[in-house]
Amino acid sequence: MNLIPYFKLSQPLEYVFVTQVFGENATSFYASMGLKGHSGLDYRAVTGTPCFAVIDGTCTSSGQDSHGGRFVKLMTDQVDVEGIQVKLEFLYYHLQDWSVLAGERVYRGQSVGITDNTGRLTTAPHLHLEMRVFYLEGGIWKLDINNGYRGCLNPEPLFTYQPIMENPYGLQENTLIQLT
């Protein structure tokens, strides 16, 4: 199932530097948790860096757990993908605080929290972002939890949304820009 034409994500941080990609597994750490590798993307971020909704949706929960610390979960609206009803879920982990609550409508680019180093599975401040794909089958939303990543998939191919800036420098159409 190709999700790219149906879901276009923007980045969760203003300045993006990925420190660990999806699936990377340089140690036995992930295997000890029953994972084939890293279940999300890790972004470099100092404590207090704002993080943003990557797409429109709804906050399904926010709070704290013993695994990844303070978190926010967002779910997209239902979309027909090649005849299958699909929703994407995004999990933001290791936050200092969250700015959205369960049931709240969230829009792309809206602040959902600020980064930190919370949780027991982190060694430095950063944002951990996971994506899961849910599909409707027989009236029940299902998740393939047996894919080796507890249902997580790599979100990188979906980061295709770029805001359109209307002539940000006030240039005339016949202006020549020379880069040296």
Side-chain angles (χ1 to χ4, degrees), residues 3-159:
L3 300 174
I4 295 171
Y6 304 94
F7 296 97
K8 298 186 183 314
L9 308 180
S10 54
Q11 291 288 345
L13 299 174
E14 184 176 2
Y15 300 102
V16 174
F17 186 92
V18 175
T19 57
Q20 187 173 25
V21 297
F22 180 90
E24 187 174 275
N25 190 4
T27 68
S28 61
F29 173 72
Y30 298 108
S32 71
M33 295 186 298
L35 296 170
K36 290 194 303 188
H38 190 232
S39 60
L41 294 173
D42 283 351
Y43 293 88
R44 178 183 294 160
V46 298
T47 296
T49 301
C51 49
F52 308 102
V54 296
I55 198 167
D56 295 348
T58 302
C59 176
T60 57
S61 62
S62 55
Q64 183 166 343
D65 69 23
S66 61
H67 179 72
R70 295 186 180 117
F71 69 90
V72 168
K73 277 188 186 179
L74 305 179
M75 180 79 76
T76 65
D77 296 331
Q78 176 177 322
V79 173
D80 185 295
V81 176
E82 303 166 5
I84 301 169
Q85 298 305 305
V86 173
K87 290 182 180 184
L88 300 183
E89 177 184 68
F90 295 92
L91 175 62
Y92 297 70
Y93 255 148
H94 311 308
L95 302 179
Q96 182 180 78
D97 203 0
W98 55 89
S99 52
V100 291
L101 300 173
E104 186 177 332
R105 186 75 182 157
V106 176
Y107 300 95
R108 176 193 314 276
Q110 176 181 338
S111 177
V112 297
I114 52 176
T115 61
D116 200 1
N117 189 29
T118 63
R120 64 182 174 84
L121 302 177
T122 180
T123 58
H126 71 283
L127 172 64
H128 174 86
L129 180 73
E130 293 182 359
M131 180 184 83
R132 293 179 178 84
V133 179
F134 287 82
Y135 60 95
L136 191 60
E137 184 179 280
I140 299 170
W141 286 101
K142 295 190 174 185
L143 169 68
D144 177 14
I145 59 171
N146 298 314
N147 71 347
Y149 298 95
R150 296 193 185 118
C152 295
L153 294 176
N154 186 2
E156 283 187 297
L158 303 180
F159 287 116

